Amino acid sequence: MATDIKSDKLATANDLSKMSYGNFINGKWVKSVTGKTFTSYNPANLNLSLGTFASSDITDVNNAVEAANNAFKSWRKTPAPVRAEIILKAGYLLETRKEEIAQIMVQEMGKVIKEARGDVQEAIDMAKYMAGEGRRLTGQTVPSELPNKFAMCVRSPMGVVGVITPWNFPIAIPSWKIFPALVSGNTVVIKPASDTPLCAIKFVEILAEAGIPDGVINLVTGSGSVVGMGLVDHPLVRAISITGSTDIGSRVAGRCGELMKKISCELGGKNAICVMDDADMELALEGALWGAFGTAGQRCTATSRIIVHEKIYKEFCHEFKAITSSLKIGNGLNPDVAIGPVINKEQLHSINKYVEIGKKEGATLLYGGNILNTGEFANGCFHEPTIFSDVNSKMRIAQEEIFGPVTAIMPVKNFAQAIEVANSTEFGLSLSMYTQNVNKAFSAIEELESGIVYINAPTIGAEIQLPFGGIKKTGNGHREAGTTAIEQFTEWKTVYIDYSGRLQKAQIDSFEDLEN
Ligand code: UN1
C-alpha cells in the first residue's frame, strides 16, 4: 500500500552534480583502486549530471567479494528473524525517504514522479514481505520408510551472491534480489546499471543505516564486462541473479553454466493485451494506454502488442490514437507529465530505428514515430509515444523487444487466433486478455504461454507477494518475488536422523524384518 511521505530536504540537480561517489566495501565508501570515474546524466536534460561514480576494475570486485565472503561466516549464523529485523528497518527507512529517493530517481532514470514513488513503494513492500520470511524460510518434513528414522530438508544460504540490476526499476529490482538473498543468510555484492548508480547507492546507504553488518552488502559500480563478468567469474561467488536483456542474460547464464553456478535470469518480454469483441472498450483502452506508455514503455512487462478482434478493430485504433495524443511528454518531475524521457541517447536511437523498421515492413504508422529534440526537449532523450497498426506476427516490431514507447496493434479474426498471435513470440513474460466472458477468461488463463497472465488488466503492475518471471526466452525457470524468491538464494540440505540404534538399509531392509 502506498503512503506519500513528503520530505523537506529534496535534492536538486545542482547539488547532485557536484557529488562524487565510491564503492561500498566492507561497510565503507571507498574510491576505486584506479581512481577512474564515470558520470550519470539526467535523461531529461543531458547537461545535468547526478555526480561521478567509481569506474571499478577487477581488484575492486575482488575486494568486495572477499569482504562479502568474510562477512558470510557470521551472517549465516545470525538467526533469520534477527536478519529480518534489519530488512524491516530498511523498509521503514525507505518509507521515510520515499519522496527524496523518488525525486532522485526521476532525475537519474527519467520515469515520472508518481511512478518513481511506486518504484520505491515496491521496495518497501518487498522489505516488509521478506522480513516476514525471516520467521518462515520453510523446509519439509516427510515420513521415513524405516522405523525410528526422521527425514527432513532445510534451507542453507549459498554464500556470496552477485546481483546485477537494470536501470528501469532502479530501487525495486535491487530490493527483489537483495532482501530475499539477505534474509536467507547470504551476503551480497551488487553491480547496478551504469545509468542509475545513484539510486543503488541510496538503497545501500539505507541498508547501512538500518544496521547491516560490515561486508554483508557491498556495491561496486562500473562496466558490465569488467565488474559484472568479474562477479560471475569469481570462484567465491556462488550464485548470480540478473535482470537485463536476453542477449546479456544468456551470455551470463552460459558462463554460469560452465562454472556450475546457480543463475537466475529475468530477461526480455514482448507482452500483449488481447481485446475481444465483448470486452469493456473503455477499460481496455485505458489499460492498453498505461501498459504501452507507462514508464515510456521501458518495462520488461510493457504492452508492446495489442491484439484486437476485427469487429472492434477500427474503433479501437481510432480511440487509442485519440487518447495517446492527450499524453503530456516532458520532465517527470512535472506532475502533469505522463511520459518522461527514455534512458539515454543510444536507447533513443535504437527505439527510433524500430520505427523505421516498422514502416519498411509495411505497418501503418498510426501515431507518433519521432524523436523530440527542440524547445524543452532539446537536451534530453525524448521519443513520441508511437502506435503502429496493421501489424502481423511476422514483422520484427511484433517479435523483438523495443523497450520504448512503441506499441503494435494487430487485428485478429477470433479468440483462437488472438491466443495464437499472443503466443507467437520467443518471449513469455506477461500476457493479458480483455473479455467479459468467463469461459474465454478461463480458457485464456490456460492457453496463454507466459509466466504472468492478467484478465481485464494490462500487462504491467505485478505485486510482490506472488512469483514474477517468465517462460521461453524471458528466463531460465526461476521466479523472483513471493516465496519463490527464496528458491534462488538457498540450497536444500536433506537430513536423515536414524534413532533406531542399528544400521537400517533404505530400499533393502523390509519393515517386517526390522520388526523381528
Ligand atoms: C520490469 O520491468 O523489469 O509488473 C519489472 C510490473 C512492475 C515490475 C516491472 N511491478 O510492471
Side-chain angles (χ1 to χ4, degrees):
M1 291 294 286
T3 41
D4 278 348
I5 288 152
K6 300 268 174 267
S7 161
D8 50 8
K9 280 193 283 162
L10 299 179
T12 66
N14 260 349
D15 21 282
L16 291 176
S17 70
K18 296 193 192 101
M19 300 293 289
S20 173
Y21 303 87
N23 293 321
F24 191 66
I25 298 177
N26 208 19
K28 288 187 187 57
W29 292 98
V30 290
K31 282 188 179 164
S32 69
V33 286
T34 63
K36 284 192 191 144
T37 62
F38 68 97
T39 305
S40 171
Y41 293 100
N42 182 335
N45 180 349
L46 295 172
N47 294 331
L48 298 176
S49 100
L50 284 286
T52 56
F53 300 85
S55 178
S56 309
D57 81 359
I58 196 68
T59 314
D60 303 301
V61 176
N62 293 344
N63 291 344
V65 173
E66 271 153 40
N69 192 52
N70 288 336
F72 178 61
K73 294 178 189 78
S74 54
W75 185 244
R76 64 183 276 266
K77 294 268 190 198
T78 307
V82 177
R83 299 194 293 252
E85 286 297 328
I86 298 174
I87 292 167
L88 187 62
K89 193 156 176 215
Y92 288 133
L93 287 169
L94 278 166
E95 224 160 35
T96 315
R97 292 174 64 184
K98 180 174 173 179
E99 187 62 23
E100 173 205 338
I101 296 173
Q103 298 224 6
I104 288 172
M105 191 187 301
V106 175
Q107 294 169 76
E108 188 169 46
M109 181 274 164
K111 67 173 71 177
V112 301
I113 185 67
K114 266 196 186 146
E115 291 189 35
R117 291 180 190 129
D119 191 315
V120 182
Q121 187 59 44
E122 202 160 334
I124 296 167
D125 297 342
M126 188 57 102
K128 291 178 180 171
Y129 182 84
M130 281 302 156
E133 270 308 303
R135 288 187 186 267
R136 279 186 294 268
L137 291 178
T138 48
Q140 300 172 26
T141 55
V142 293
S144 165
E145 63 194 48
L146 295 165
N148 300 321
K149 191 177 171 192
F150 192 85
M152 66 176 172
C153 65
V154 295
R155 292 179 187 277
S156 299
M158 305 190 65
V160 182
V161 168
V163 161
I164 303 175
T165 53
W167 46 262
N168 68 332
F169 276 81
I171 294 287
I173 292 180
S175 86
W176 292 6
K177 298 181 191 299
I178 291 172
F179 291 149
L182 293 180
V183 80
S184 303
N186 304 285
T187 55
V188 172
V189 180
I190 176 178
K191 187 286 202 222
S194 296
D195 284 301
T196 51
L198 185 54
C199 287
I201 284 171
K202 292 289 150 192
F203 186 86
V204 168
E205 265 175 22
I206 278 175
L207 270 169
E209 203 180 322
I212 200 97
D214 293 352
V216 172
I217 176 85
N218 305 274
L219 169 142
V220 183
T221 54
S223 73
S225 54
V226 175
V227 179
M229 285 319 272
L231 278 176
V232 171
D233 282 335
H234 199 296
L236 289 174
V237 173
R238 298 307 317 144
I240 294 282
S241 178
I242 180 171
T243 297
S245 67
T246 294
D247 181 35
I248 290 175
S250 58
R251 262 187 275 160
V252 168
R255 184 72 183 130
C256 286
E258 283 169 38
L259 297 169
M260 294 295 167
K261 291 190 182 188
K262 196 162 184 173
I263 164 77
S264 52
C265 294
E266 209 280 284
L267 310 173
K270 192 69 191 173
N271 316 289
I273 282 180
C274 305
V275 188
M276 293 299 94
D277 54 338
D278 62 12
D280 176 331
M281 188 69 146
E282 292 265 300
L283 190 70
L285 282 162
E286 206 189 346
L289 191 75
W290 171 228
F293 302 128
T295 330
Q298 301 170 110
R299 293 196 191 208
C300 53
T301 50
T303 306
S304 56
R305 298 177 297 149
I306 308 169
I307 298 164
V308 184
H309 195 289
E310 62 182 11
K311 278 196 197 148
I312 53 161
Y313 183 72
K314 236 176 128 181
E315 185 194 350
F316 186 94
C317 289
H318 181 263
E319 295 294 321
F320 192 62
K321 177 179 172 177
I323 55 172
T324 300
S325 68
S326 70
L327 294 174
K328 187 172 165 54
I329 308 165
N331 188 320
L333 286 176
N334 173 350
D336 300 329
V337 163
I339 302 191
V342 301
I343 188 68
N344 56 37
K345 279 272 175 209
E346 198 189 342
Q347 189 57 19
L348 180 68
H349 292 296
S350 156
I351 293 163
N352 200 250
K353 197 187 78 196
Y354 275 103
V355 175
E356 291 314 310
I357 291 170
K359 285 196 231 165
K360 281 206 191 92
E361 288 179 310
T364 306
L365 181 61
L366 190 62
Y367 185 81
N370 300 305
I371 289 175
L372 298 170
N373 50 17
T374 56
E376 61 168 311
F377 305 118
N379 300 311
C381 308
F382 293 92
H383 199 284
E384 283 181 320
T386 299
I387 311 166
F388 278 105
S389 57
D390 306 324
V391 175
N392 67 52
S393 296
K394 294 201 179 70
M395 296 179 180
R396 283 179 64 192
I397 56 166
Q399 291 296 331
E400 295 172 24
E401 185 173 49
I402 299 174
F403 225 70
V406 179
T407 196
I409 313 187
M410 310 172 75
V412 287
K413 289 192 188 331
N414 50 37
F415 177 80
Q417 200 187 5
I419 298 283
E420 191 189 314
V421 171
N423 291 342
S424 71
T425 76
E426 60 182 9
F427 299 108
L429 181 55
S430 182
L431 294 171
S432 148
M433 175 62 67
Y434 277 78
T435 176
Q436 302 204 66
N437 178 317
V438 68
N439 297 351
K440 282 189 189 144
F442 274 87
S443 297
I445 295 169
E446 204 172 305
E447 300 302 328
L448 289 171
E449 293 169 359
S450 55
I452 306 169
V453 170
Y454 287 94
I455 302 294
N456 293 332
T459 56
I460 67 176
E463 301 180 27
I464 60 93
Q465 64 277 29
L466 279 175
F468 180 94
I471 61 171
K472 303 200 248 175
K473 286 201 177 163
T474 293
N476 63 338
H478 287 272
R479 290 292 184 273
E480 305 204 90
T483 49
T484 43
I486 300 295
E487 302 296 338
Q488 293 180 66
F489 301 114
T490 50
E491 292 282 12
W492 284 114
K493 185 174 282 177
T494 300
V495 184
Y496 299 104
I497 303 147
D498 192 318
Y499 54 98
S500 68
R502 58 182 157 170
L503 173 65
Q504 302 194 92
K505 297 183 189 134
Q507 295 94 40
I508 291 171
D509 292 341
S510 75
F511 173 62
E512 287 75 23
D513 296 342
L514 290 165
E515 279 298 279
N516 297 322

